């Protein structure tokens, strides 16, 4: 007989999911690839200061790092990076975080620089085998770190010989941004994506193809698809010379194929075969042969794996019931490697042998992001919800109830609810195991993770619903989610909390400033002043707000009207802020001005800084301090004592 559960107030439940356990056991996983019976991936380790390491797991199960402690694989192109590793049969090519140079590392050898360290940044690495050169997006910053916008170009770096002093041979230039340099199987043609201000890559891009002349330079480029109002991403060459790409011209990011003369839709459907290109190297589509693609696609916030016949336009789903988030695909022959997660399955590197019969296709987990799978007794499973919001629209979210096998709440007590607004804002949350959500639900909080209007995965119309409405539509949806759940008796209306990071932090600050629904909030490197963001951010996002708010400075009035910093007199709830002091995306002054204004009002406010963190916290001690600090703050504000020995944070005016 199971012992009776103890009765403990919500928020004070003892939990085995500690902040330290999340970082000690947890690593970030991305960019898997297959090689000679082994599976490899990049592993970001909070316990090593966020260092990213390439790892190889041999067929017999032995795992080893491919680079020593002095190396950290990460590019800072666009500040968000990606596409920073390329596996060749003879060597590993990668971007090194410390000096942003490209290196070649032969097995067991010392890495050799392919570019001049410290001069340029590179990303989206690709191999031009016939010419033995590396193709990349190059981002060149002004000498001495001046304020001029960096210049972007597609370049080629020789795989052999000395690093070129000129930063490589320029293959394409003149556009504001480039991505996805891809050479066809014969080495005769080069495809790439480009776009210009004020567009972001999910607004409008162009897909180009050019013949490669004998000297390796592109000749007679042709625009295959795209334009100011069509987002084209992820070009993939088929072995027969056709080019597959993803376009949203039909209202959804769907598959198209170009035969050298014209394009046609492969599989029109209300699903999306891509995600917003915040980082380079996204791979939701890979070619298995001349007519078969392996694809990750999303419907209603859930991700699936499928095989697509390009000629017949037929989709064959691959059953993976444990996983609801799938991406980062790569293939070798008919074996796939990808990153996947599910409601009770932490993010993992997964392999799948498609040569086996259907009943024998068992996905193999090569590496979990956490050392062990979570105990199901403490896991809260998400429920997709739809709810009415502003302008008669419907918004989407995932609801997580409190879950803990050891305790129960006092009769009649409703849980405090944490409303989470994701970053981006052009992004989305998924119904997959999120350790930070379980940290809260195992302590007696309910959580709702909101895919507000503007989120991806629900078609272009839903994504575009945030255009001109940032700070309004996203906030309305978070408010509506809280009221919807409180109205159903699933949350305590007196303990509604909102939290978010980056753009989600902006949604948080708008919600507590312009609405009276929430009783506390937490901003993790969030935006308080849109005008400051528009005039003090990096090139990639320099014109992002043109579509989300309006052109600046022509619509300076909108920037001021939607900036919480100008309306602190309306803010009447306690707030906690967490900020990296080296953040170039949302500089610290965004938080500091807000903290000072709240402090001057006499409201409870806390400000926790991390001197060496940038945009997003990578170090274990920072992640732990932010989680525990936020819990401590809520305990003090709502009058409960969290379980465990939490270090306090200074809270002014309490």
């Amino acid at each position: 007989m199971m012992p009776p559960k103890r009765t403990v107030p919500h928020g004070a439940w003892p939990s085995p999911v500690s902040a330290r356990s999340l970082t000690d056991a947890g690593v970030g996983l991305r960019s898997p690839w297959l090689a000679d019976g082994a599976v490899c991936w990049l592993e970001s380790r909070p316990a090593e200061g966020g260092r990213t390491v390439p790892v190889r797991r041999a067929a017999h199960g032995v795992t080893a790092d491919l680079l020593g402690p002095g190396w950290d694989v990460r590019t800072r192109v666009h500040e968000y990076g990606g596409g920073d590793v390329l596996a060749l049969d003879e060597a590993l090519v990668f971007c090194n975080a410390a000096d942003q140079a490209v290196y070649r590392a032969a097995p067991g050898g010392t890495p050799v620089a392919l570019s001049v360290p410290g001069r340029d940044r590179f990303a989206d690495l690709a191999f031009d085998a016939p010419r033995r050169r590396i193709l990349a997006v190059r981002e060149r910053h002004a000498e001495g770190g001046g304020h001029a916008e960096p210049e972007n170009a597609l370049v080629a770096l020789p795989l052999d010989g000395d690093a070129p002093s000129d930063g490589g041979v320029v293959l394409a230039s003149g556009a504001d941004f480039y991505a996805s340099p891809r050479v066809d199987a014969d080495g005769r043609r080069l495809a790439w994506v480009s776009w210009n201000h004020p567009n972001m890559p999910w607004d409008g891009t162009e897909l180009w193809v050019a013949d490669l002349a004998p000297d390796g330079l592109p000749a007679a480029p042709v625009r295959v698809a795209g334009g100011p109002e069509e987002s084209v991403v992820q070009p993939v060459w088929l072995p027969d010379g056709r080019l597959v790409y993803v376009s949203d011209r039909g209202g959804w990011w769907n598959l198209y194929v170009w035969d050298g003369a014209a394009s046609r839709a492969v599989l029109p459907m209300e699903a999306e075969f891509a995600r917003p290109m915040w980082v380079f190297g996204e791979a939701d589509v890979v070619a298995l042969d001349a007519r078969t693609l392996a694809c990750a696609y999303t419907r209603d916030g859930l991700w699936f794996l499928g095989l697509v016949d390009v000629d017949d336009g037929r989709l064959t789903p691959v059953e993976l019931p444990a996983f609801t988030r799938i991406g980062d695909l790569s293939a070798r022959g008919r074996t796939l490697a990808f990153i996947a997660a599910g409601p009770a399955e932490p993010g993992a590197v997964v392999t799948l042998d498609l040569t086996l019969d259907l009943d024998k296709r068992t996905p193999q987990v090569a590496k979990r992001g956490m050392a062990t799978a979570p105990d199901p007794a403490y896991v809260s499973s998400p429920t997709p919800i739809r709810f009415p919001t502003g302008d008669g629209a419907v918004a989407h979210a995932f609801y997580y109830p409190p879950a803990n096998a050891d305790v129960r709440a006092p009769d009649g007590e409703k849980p405090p609810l944490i409303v989470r607004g994701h970053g981006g804002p052009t992004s989305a949350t998924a119904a997959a195991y999120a350790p930070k959500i379980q940290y809260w639900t195992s302590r007696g909080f309910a959580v709702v993770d909101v895919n507000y209007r503007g989120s991806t995965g629900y078609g272009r119309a839903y994504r575009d619903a945030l255009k001109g409405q940032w700070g309004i539509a996203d906030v309305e949806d978070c408010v509506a989610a809280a009221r919807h759940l409180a109205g159903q008796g699933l949350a305590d209306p007196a303990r509604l909390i909102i939290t978010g990071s980056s753009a989600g932090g902006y949604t948080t600050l708008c919600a507590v400033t312009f609405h009276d629904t929430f009783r506390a909030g937490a901003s993790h490197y969030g935006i308080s002043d849109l005008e400051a963001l528009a005039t003090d951010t990096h090139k990639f996002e320099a014109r992002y707000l043109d579509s989300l708010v309006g052109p600046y400075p022509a619509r300076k009035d909108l920037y001021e009207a939607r900036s919480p910093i100008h309306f602190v007199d309306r803010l009447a709830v306690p707030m906690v802020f967490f900020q990296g002091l080296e953040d170039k995306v949302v500089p610290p002054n965004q938080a500091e001005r807000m903290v000072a204004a709240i402090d001057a009002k006499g409201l409870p406010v806390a400000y926790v800084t991390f001197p060496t963190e940038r945009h997003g916290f990578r170090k274990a001690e920072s992640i732990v301090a932010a989680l525990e600090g936020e819990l401590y703050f809520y305990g003090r504000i709502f009058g409960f004592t969290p379980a465990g020995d939490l270090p306090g944070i200074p809270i002014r005016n309490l």
Side-chain angles (χ1 to χ4, degrees), residues 455-479:
S455 300
T456 55
Y458 301 92
R460 174 126 191 179
Y462 193 78
R463 186 167 87 239
D464 283 353
L466 197 62
K467 285 191 172 182
Q469 297 297 307
W470 193 32
I472 297 175
D474 53 319
V475 179
E476 286 179 344
D477 294 354
C478 288
V479 169

Side-chain angles (χ1 to χ4, degrees), residues 27 300 313 430 511 524 565 586:
V27 297
D300 295 326
H524 298 251
I565 190 63
V586 180

Side-chain angles (χ1 to χ4, degrees), residues 368-640:
R368 282 192 174 91
M370 298 183 68
T372 58
D375 186 333
Y378 302 92
V379 172
S380 176
S381 294
T383 299
I385 62 172
R386 295 161 57 95
F387 50 92
T389 186
D391 297 328
V394 172
H396 304 265
F398 296 104
Y399 166 70
Y400 296 79
N404 189 310
D406 301 327
V407 295
R408 61 184 298 272
D411 290 341
E413 185 187 54
K414 303 297 182 185
L417 173 71
I418 296 177
V419 177
R420 286 168 49 106
H422 62 71
T426 309
S427 184
T429 187
Y433 185 82
K436 289 182 181 179
I437 289 180
Q438 306 301 326
Y439 177 84
W440 297 108
T441 55
S442 62
R443 285 169 168 74
F445 292 82
V447 174
V448 61
D449 216 359
V450 183
N451 273 329
Y452 46 76
R453 283 170 288 172
S455 300
T456 55
Y458 301 92
R460 174 126 191 179
Y462 193 78
R463 186 167 87 239
D464 283 353
L466 197 62
K467 285 191 172 182
Q469 297 297 307
W470 193 32
I472 297 175
D474 53 319
V475 179
E476 286 179 344
D477 294 354
C478 288
V479 169
R483 291 177 175 172
H484 174 76
L485 293 170
Q488 292 190 332
L490 298 174
D492 182 351
R495 293 188 291 175
L496 301 177
I497 302 163
I498 185 165
T499 184
S501 304
S502 189
Y506 171 65
T507 300
T508 292
L509 293 172
C510 285
V512 296
T513 301
F514 302 122
H515 296 262
D516 59 2
T517 299
F518 298 102
R519 296 294 174 263
S523 170
H524 298 251
Y525 40 94
I527 301 152
S528 64
D529 186 343
L530 290 180
E531 188 174 10
L533 183 67
T535 57
D536 185 19
T537 191
H538 56 118
K539 179 183 177 181
F540 181 62
E541 294 185 72
R543 302 289 298 278
Y544 188 19
L545 302 193
D546 282 25
S547 64
L548 293 176
V549 182
Y552 183 86
R555 293 311 312 268
K556 179 182 172 74
D557 59 322
L558 290 179
Y559 284 76
E560 293 179 349
R562 296 188 199 168
S563 294
I565 190 63
H566 299 309
F567 301 94
V568 179
D569 59 307
R570 301 187 190 180
L571 196 158
V573 301
M575 289 292 302
V576 59
F577 294 79
F578 301 92
Q579 180 70 42
L581 297 184
E582 292 188 8
D583 193 337
K584 304 300 182 186
V585 179
V586 180
N589 62 1
Q590 292 269 329
E592 290 161 1
R593 291 175 59 199
M594 198 74 183
V595 170
I598 296 172
D599 186 23
K601 286 194 68 176
L603 286 169
V605 62
Y607 183 43
V608 181
T609 62
F610 304 99
T612 61
E613 292 284 12
R614 291 190 172 95
H615 196 65
F617 304 149
R618 300 174 60 86
K619 299 179 180 179
E621 58 269 27
S622 306
I623 297 168
V624 169
L627 271 173
E628 293 184 340
E630 192 171 346
L631 177 60
Y632 175 85
F633 183 80
Y634 297 151
R636 292 294 307 275
I637 297 304
F638 293 112
F640 65 84

Side-chain angles (χ1 to χ4, degrees), residues 89 187 190 219 250 262 352 355 393 466 554 611 637 647:
D89 289 340
L190 172 67
L352 184 66
T355 65
L466 197 62
I637 297 304

